[in-house]
Amino acid sequence: MWFPYGAGMARDAGMRRLAGRALTLIRRAVRDRSAVLDVEYRPRADGRPDPGEIVWTWVPYDEGDGRGKDRPVLVIGRRGGQLLGLMLTSKDHDRDAADEARHGRVWTDLGAGSWDARNRSSEVRLDRLLELDPAAVRREGAALDRTRFDRVVAEARRVQGW
């Protein structure tokens, strides 16, 4: 399922302003483990971001210094009115697995999909759960198939302990 909102949007000035606002809306991680996480596959072609879809949004770097990057994020669920997501990258972390593990970063292969204009293979970061304001994401990616979604969620549960 493709949601055509123009991949070039991320480069225009309006998106840079939205990215600055989104930086304040995205929390680095879900810290309150007692809160109810509603994790269920349910993409819908309804104009809103849903669990199972890959969307684009501003994701701050781990350093927390105000820098970040516009990137694809797999929406895996909700907590209250917020979306829960895992960031994607086209970088192959298998080559630097030891360094990634030393820093506590855990990745899993996702494969290729229409969320990447060059059809590159992607990886999902499992150790960092993002909480996102639905208004700060763009539906430009795709709905992930149920099999890959379930595998990623199971691996994220194992890594994060929820």
Side-chain angles (χ1 to χ4, degrees):
M1 196 177 328
W2 175 255
F3 304 102
Y5 286 91
M9 286 179 56
R11 291 173 189 82
D12 71 22
M15 289 314 302
R16 283 191 291 277
R17 282 191 302 278
L18 176 62
R21 184 173 86 89
L23 182 58
T24 64
L25 298 173
I26 296 172
R27 295 177 185 91
R28 293 200 62 223
V30 177
R31 290 178 172 82
D32 183 1
R33 301 283 184 199
S34 65
V36 176
L37 304 181
D38 176 18
V39 178
E40 183 180 338
Y41 182 81
R42 54 177 174 254
R44 298 181 195 118
D46 60 1
R48 295 181 309 225
D50 299 305
E53 295 176 0
I54 295 174
V55 299
W56 284 76
T57 192
W58 182 260
V59 177
Y61 293 140
D62 285 338
E63 294 81 7
D65 60 5
R67 295 179 305 140
K69 182 177 182 180
D70 193 57
R71 64 171 57 248
V73 172
L74 171 61
V75 178
I76 64 167
R78 295 181 180 277
R79 184 175 89 160
Q82 302 295 92
L83 299 172
L84 301 173
L86 302 169
M87 65 184 231
L88 277 67
T89 185
S90 58
K91 182 179 176 184
D92 182 6
H93 290 284
D94 292 339
R95 290 180 281 166
D96 60 351
D99 188 52
E100 288 295 299
R102 185 168 51 88
H103 292 289
R105 295 184 291 254
V106 181
W107 300 87
T108 191
D109 292 325
L110 186 62
S114 57
W115 57 87
D116 186 281
R118 297 191 299 186
N119 202 35
R120 295 172 294 185
S121 189
S122 295
E123 291 187 0
V124 178
R125 185 166 172 188
L126 300 172
D127 64 290
R128 185 178 182 204
L129 186 62
L130 301 170
E131 190 171 321
L132 311 164
D133 182 322
V137 303
R138 299 179 318 285
R139 296 180 77 212
E140 293 182 9
L144 194 63
D145 62 88
R146 180 69 184 256
T147 301
R148 287 193 284 182
F149 177 85
D150 288 344
R151 180 182 56 80
V152 168
V153 168
E155 290 181 34
R157 283 184 200 273
R158 179 186 52 78
V159 168
Q160 296 189 32
W162 42 265

